[in-house]
């Protein structure tokens, strides 16, 4: 069985328990003075990579990666406290990268770091794009299995992935190298213990910039306006079935 050199991309997002608010200019979601944390789907990816090592698979190295402002380093330290061996941070303060730009960066990291397995969250909870893993697989021309709920790797480098689909469960099999995106039923991420948090401070965290990779990651999309959805209207009561039918006809539902 080949040694596994795993890449786990992670993203710093507004904490899932925070209700996002639109900024006054209606150009984006307000991020200042708002609690941030690691994207929950990325926690699943880290957990799965660590579990492969604990299952005695030949995991040589687990590399956590993030691109974004300096505060992303806190997210990367958390990733290392959860079990990643080292981290790579592409510092970018001016723009928030779109999925294609992130996929291009990940392609370079995979090639430079000689990765043969990428495990990443199926989407981030801020933009819900669900695109980066698929784009990365296309750029690398690697097989992919999205929305994984179970991952198994055998001695012949065959990766078997179970995923939930609308009609039930689908099982995919491919050989390494491979891209896997994670879904909520895959595992239960562990909490970083205090000793591991202290150890993570000594693990290597390398910083780079977009210029180091020489890529065109200019955003292709422009947000014209951001608005909160209108408040839901209260329901009404009817006396009987005839009243319900009359109300539905009034609303144009029948």
């Amino acid at each position: 069985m080949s040694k596994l050199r795993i890449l786990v991309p992670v993203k710093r997002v507004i904490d899932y328990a925070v209700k996002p608010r639109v900024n006054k200019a209606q150009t984006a979601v307000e991020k200042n003075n708002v609690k941030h944390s690691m994207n929950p789907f990325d926690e699943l990816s880290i957990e799965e990579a660590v579990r492969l090592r604990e299952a005695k698979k030949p995991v040589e190295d687990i590399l956590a990666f993030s691109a974004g402002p300096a505060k992303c380093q806190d997210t990367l330290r958390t990733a290392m406290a959860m079990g990643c061996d080292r981290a790579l941070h592409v510092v970018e303060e001016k723009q928030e990268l779109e999925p294609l730009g992130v996929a291009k960066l990940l392609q370079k990291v995979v090639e430079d770091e000689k990765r043969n397995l990428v495990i990443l969250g199926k989407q981030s909870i801020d933009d819900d794009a669900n695109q980066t893993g698929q784009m990365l697989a296309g750029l690398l021309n690697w097989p992919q299995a999205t929305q994984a709920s179970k991952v198994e790797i055998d001695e012949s480098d065959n990766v078997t992935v179970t995923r939930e689909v609308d009609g039930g469960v689908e099982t995919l099999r491919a050989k390494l190298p491979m891209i896997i995106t994670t879904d909520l039923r895959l595992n239960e991420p562990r909490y970083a213990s205090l000793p591991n948090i202290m150890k993570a401070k000594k693990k290597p965290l390398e910083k780079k910039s977009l210029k180091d990779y020489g890529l065109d990651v200019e955003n292709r999309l422009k947000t014209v306006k951001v608005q909160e959805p209108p408040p839901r209207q209260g329901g009404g009561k009817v006396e009987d079935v005839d009243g319900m039918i009359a109300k539905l006809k009034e609303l144009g539902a029948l």
Side-chain angles (χ1 to χ4, degrees):
M1 183 177 182
S2 301
K3 290 186 177 180
L4 298 175
R5 298 178 297 278
I6 305 174
L7 173 64
V8 183
V10 297
K11 186 176 183 181
R12 177 178 180 266
V13 299
I14 293 176
D15 189 84
Y16 72 92
V18 174
K19 183 179 180 181
R21 299 292 183 185
V22 177
N23 63 20
K24 293 182 179 180
Q26 292 189 317
T27 56
V29 171
E30 183 59 63
K31 295 183 178 180
N32 294 327
N33 301 317
V34 176
K35 181 183 177 182
H36 284 65
S37 59
M38 185 188 300
N39 179 47
F41 290 102
D42 299 337
E43 294 179 351
L44 300 167
S45 304
I46 295 170
E47 178 67 25
E48 192 62 24
V50 175
R51 288 190 184 192
L52 287 172
R53 171 176 282 159
E54 292 175 344
K56 307 301 181 183
K57 302 298 181 183
V59 176
E60 180 179 300
D61 181 42
I62 303 173
L63 171 64
F65 169 88
S66 192
K71 291 182 178 180
C72 289
Q73 293 176 33
D74 295 336
T75 306
L76 289 170
R77 291 292 180 192
T78 300
M80 289 189 285
M82 292 175 67
C84 292
D85 301 306
R86 57 194 181 93
L88 173 60
H89 180 204
V90 175
V91 183
E92 176 51 46
E93 300 282 354
K94 295 181 180 179
Q95 65 171 330
E96 186 167 339
L97 300 176
E98 292 175 352
L100 180 59
V102 177
K104 288 179 177 179
L105 265 176
L106 291 174
Q107 179 189 16
K108 285 288 188 181
V109 173
V110 166
E111 293 169 352
D112 292 350
E113 298 284 344
K114 296 179 173 55
R115 305 288 100 179
N116 61 357
L117 178 61
V118 182
I119 308 177
L120 66 162
K122 70 172 184 177
Q123 64 195 73
S124 59
I125 62 171
D126 50 4
D127 58 18
D128 284 321
N130 193 358
Q131 295 175 342
T132 304
Q134 294 89 326
M135 289 178 171
L136 177 60
L139 292 171
L140 290 169
N141 196 28
W142 284 9
Q144 61 176 302
T146 60
Q147 299 171 228
S149 59
K150 186 177 181 181
V151 176
E152 298 174 301
I153 304 177
D154 65 21
E155 296 299 322
S156 301
D157 291 344
N158 293 310
V159 183
T160 303
V161 176
T162 303
R163 59 192 297 266
E164 294 184 3
V165 294
D166 291 341
V169 176
E170 182 178 66
T171 302
L172 304 175
R173 182 176 290 115
K175 276 190 172 290
L176 294 173
M178 190 174 182
I179 308 292
I180 299 174
T181 72
T182 58
D183 206 351
L184 290 174
R185 287 183 175 82
L186 179 61
N187 57 50
E188 183 71 29
R190 69 194 64 193
Y191 288 101
S193 65
L194 182 58
N196 286 338
I197 291 172
M198 300 305 294
K199 291 177 184 177
K201 293 180 179 181
K202 298 181 179 180
K203 290 184 178 181
L205 194 161
E206 184 180 1
K207 299 178 188 177
K208 289 191 175 184
S209 67
L210 290 175
K211 291 181 180 179
D212 294 326
Y213 293 98
L215 293 171
D216 173 21
V217 294
E218 182 180 353
N219 289 343
R220 268 66 172 175
L221 303 175
K222 179 181 179 181
T223 301
V224 178
K225 191 175 184 180
V226 178
Q227 292 177 285
E228 291 190 18
R232 295 183 62 180
Q233 299 293 326
K237 292 184 178 181
V238 294
E239 296 296 331
D240 49 30
V241 174
D242 291 338
M244 181 182 69
I245 293 173
K247 189 66 176 178
L248 291 173
K249 287 181 178 178
E250 179 186 330
L251 294 172
L254 288 178

